[in-house]
Amino acid sequence: MLELKNIDSYYGESRVIEDLSFNVPKGKIVGFIGRNGVGKSTTLKSIMGIVKTPSGQVIFNGEDITKKPVYERVKLGIGYVPQGRDIFPQMTVQENLELGLQPIGGKGNIPDYLFDLFPILPKFAKRRGGDLSGGQQQQLAIARALAAEPKILILDEPTEGIQPSIIRDIGAAIKKINEWKGITVLLVEQYLDFVLENTDMLYVMEKGKIIYQNDTKAADGAEVQRLMTE
Amino acid sequence: MEQLINTLFNGISLSSIILLTSIGLAITFGLMKVINMAHGEFLMIGAYMTFVMQQIFVKFFPESVRDIYYFAAIPFAFLVTFLLGSLLERFVISRLYGREIDSLLATYGISLILQQAARSIFGTQGVNVNAPSFLNGGITIGGCTFSYNRLFIIFMVALCLFLVWLIMYKSNFGKQMRAVMQNRTMAQCMGINSRRVDNITFSIGSGLAGIAGCSVALLGSIDSTVGQSYIVNSFMAVVLGGVGKLLGTVIGSTIIGSASIFTEHYTSSTIAKAIVLLIVIVFLQKRPQGLFVIKSRSLDE
């Protein structure tokens, strides 16, 4: 479904990603794990087109999207939840959700199942996004990215700074949308247990390269942990 | 007392013109962080377009319908300045995003070019627009006279403000615009073409300045520098009101407009300018972000 071929990416002047290639198969939940600063977020930003990729290709659904601007990539069916959520702080929860409909022209309704997944949202519909807690913002950000029913959902550290009970809810929600709607998921994490519990497949990243990949079921948690801390 | 009410009335009508030019500036600055020094020239162009429309009516239409030229002039001025704004954004401003000083210089240059163009086309002498006959005179209540043309300007600005509010808060485009203002990258990640939003927003702002030009045309003679006399006040109104909130711009403009007229009434116009500037400077010492500060959890973190 999503394939990166020999991607180079820069953060300012320094090269963060070097010759990176990997594949996200359709219908799977794929975890991308590694320490701080190894290029995980930059990888996701390269997929979105937020950072430039001077060489290599990003292929989505068989189409080369490397040269497309961010908004066109989103319209092809890529939903993105950035690190830190990036809720529109002065807009209400309802308006934030409605912005999620922009990829399909701002028309239509927010799918009802999103309110079943995140019951907190209809309750806070009139509140400003900026007034929600971190966990609530995360749920809103995920729902917003799902409003237009993308083909793939990309999440950047969905558990960062969030209390354990909500982390469980988020994990469950990710699995449900994958099961119910067949939406492919690519998530970046530092929190290994979350990846082991919720993904089908995992990659370990180190210094802009993939150093390990396996089906999550077959992966040895201790070994992955060792790779991450080495 | 009557004098006070009259001064207040004049203050409000000046405020409303400042408001129309400020909205464009505030949105442009809030959205694109570009200080558009040529904004005043859109007001000047709008005023000249009113003159042009009047000439067209004088030439081609019978005298009985000449008065309605003004109603044709408003959309005409809007359209011309909207299109010019769109071109300016597309070919100059959009290439200077994130380079405040460069954009300041470039737009200042454009402002000079437009002024010279106006002098070349319309001459160095000011031209006059005859207000439609139904705007002559005024209502007298007690000892106070409220002239029709100033009342009309206030009404027109209120209508424009209402339309801007509708666009910003009730339309899908407005939602896109506010999203881009608050977080450009994330707005793009929502599938919004932020370049298109920038262009249309800039054009609307320019168009509003054009309409402000129509109202200025009712009040006095039009020359190539007419924009300059309003733009300084508009900049101050934007700074005072804070960026990104329509209400801030409304209140900022009201304060600047009224303060100008009041101080002018009791002193002279030069002293009045200095006093208003002083008020703004003192105010900004206390509240550098202006009257309305955007505050939220995610921005605090």
Side-chain angles (χ1 to χ4, degrees), chain A residues 84 86-89 129-132 137, chain B residues 295-301:
Chain A
D86 281 1
I87 293 301
F88 295 101
D131 295 340
L132 299 185
Q137 286 193 357
Chain B
K295 221 176 164 156
S296 75
R297 187 191 282 252
S298 69
L299 289 177
D300 292 343
E301 274 169 6

Side-chain angles (χ1 to χ4, degrees), chain A residues 110-175:
Chain A
I110 296 146
D112 285 337
Y113 70 86
L114 290 177
F115 297 126
D116 298 336
L117 277 181
F118 305 111
I120 192 94
L121 299 178
K123 244 192 271 175
F124 288 163
K126 296 254 180 287
R127 249 194 229 188
R128 289 195 328 161
D131 295 340
L132 299 185
S133 73
Q136 293 161 345
Q137 286 193 357
Q138 187 66 58
Q139 299 183 50
L140 172 57
I142 296 173
R144 182 179 67 178
L146 288 169
E149 309 212 303
K151 297 186 179 78
I152 185 170
L153 177 67
I154 294 180
L155 301 149
D156 197 346
E157 302 217 18
T159 69
E160 191 194 25
I162 288 169
Q163 67 185 60
S165 68
I166 297 187
I167 291 181
R168 272 195 302 278
D169 290 349
I170 289 172
I174 290 170
K175 278 185 156 170

